[in-house]
Amino acid sequence: MGTFADWLRGLMGRGNERVDRRRKERPPAIAIQASDLDPVSGALRSDRFMVMVAAEQAQRPGALLLIDLADRAEFVAAGNPDAPQETLILMAQAIRQAVRFDDLVGHVEGYRFAVLLRGAPEDLADAIAQRICDSVDDTVFLTHDGISQLDVAVGGAVFEPGEGRDLYTDAQAALDSVRRLDSHRISIN
C-alpha cells in the first residue's frame, strides 16, 4: 500500500504508465440513447450495459465492479413502501458521484449496480471501489423509522483486451467472497 500522494498521483493519471491518460488516446465516447436507461435509477439497463462491457473487453483493458447492498434483508424490512424506488435513485447518484466521467454505470437488478471502469488497472479499480463505498456511506437514506445508513459490498474483475473471460461471473465470485468476510467490503480479482 502506498502513501496518499501515490494514491492521488495514480488517480490523477501520473506515475503509472497504464493509467496515464495524458499519453494515451481517450477511448471513444459510447452512444447512449434514452431507451438504454433504466427509468427508475437513470443508470444503463442491464442488457445494454453488458453489450457495452463485451465491446469494451474486446478492445481495451479495464475493470467491472458489482455493487450490492451488504445486508439487503435488514433494509427491506425497514417498512417504507417507497424505499425501493428512492433507494435505487440515491444509490445510483452516490455511485455516479464516485466514478470518473467516462465510466459506465448500469442497474443490473434489485439493489445491484455494475460499473465499467474503462482503462482502469487493479489499483485504480480498488481506489474507485473504495470511493463508491464512501459515497454510499455519506448518502442519507430515509426509511419509515428515520434515517438509515446503507452498507454496500463491491466485487470486481480486472480484464485485458481479448481475454474472453466471463467478467460478470468473476465479479460475482469476488462479491460473494466479500460477503463471506466480515472485515472487508471490497474484493477485486
Side-chain angles (χ1 to χ4, degrees):
M1 202 79 187
T3 65
F4 176 74
D6 293 337
W7 175 82
L8 190 58
R9 277 193 296 277
L11 192 62
M12 293 174 59
R14 298 181 186 145
N16 184 341
E17 285 297 318
R18 294 183 61 203
V19 180
D20 194 344
R21 292 177 180 228
R22 295 170 298 157
R23 296 183 189 157
K24 294 184 179 178
E25 188 176 310
R26 177 183 278 166
I30 296 176
I32 298 173
Q33 306 297 323
S35 61
D36 296 335
L37 301 176
D38 177 61
V40 175
S41 67
L44 285 167
R45 286 188 350 262
S46 178
D47 57 339
R48 182 68 172 134
F49 179 81
M50 292 312 291
V51 167
M52 292 179 182
V53 168
E56 190 72 17
Q57 183 183 14
Q59 300 173 13
R60 284 175 218 50
L64 175 67
L65 302 179
L66 287 182
I67 302 105
D68 201 359
L69 286 180
D71 190 0
R72 181 181 314 186
E74 180 181 316
F75 182 72
V76 174
N80 184 353
D82 296 327
Q85 192 167 10
E86 292 174 10
T87 302
L88 290 176
I89 293 167
L90 292 173
M91 280 184 69
Q93 289 173 352
I95 292 167
R96 270 194 221 97
Q97 290 173 359
V99 299
R100 303 166 303 173
F101 74 94
D102 60 343
D103 296 329
L104 299 176
V105 177
H107 179 219
V108 179
E109 63 181 354
Y111 293 102
R112 179 171 294 175
F113 287 85
V115 176
L116 174 62
L117 303 174
R118 302 174 75 196
E122 186 173 352
D123 57 340
L124 184 58
D126 191 49
I128 292 175
Q130 185 60 54
R131 286 188 359 208
I132 290 170
C133 289
D134 293 343
S135 181
V136 173
D137 282 348
D138 293 341
T139 302
V140 175
F141 294 91
L142 295 176
T143 64
H144 188 67
D145 296 329
I147 295 176
S148 177
Q149 184 173 5
L150 296 184
D151 193 22
V152 293
V154 180
V158 177
F159 60 89
E160 292 295 325
E163 282 183 333
R165 295 182 357 208
D166 184 358
L167 291 177
Y168 189 85
T169 301
D170 291 351
Q172 178 64 48
L175 184 61
D176 291 343
S177 74
V178 167
R179 290 197 172 131
R180 284 190 298 272
L181 302 172
D182 291 334
S183 60
H184 295 86
R185 299 189 305 173
I186 300 169
S187 175
I188 309 290
N189 293 337

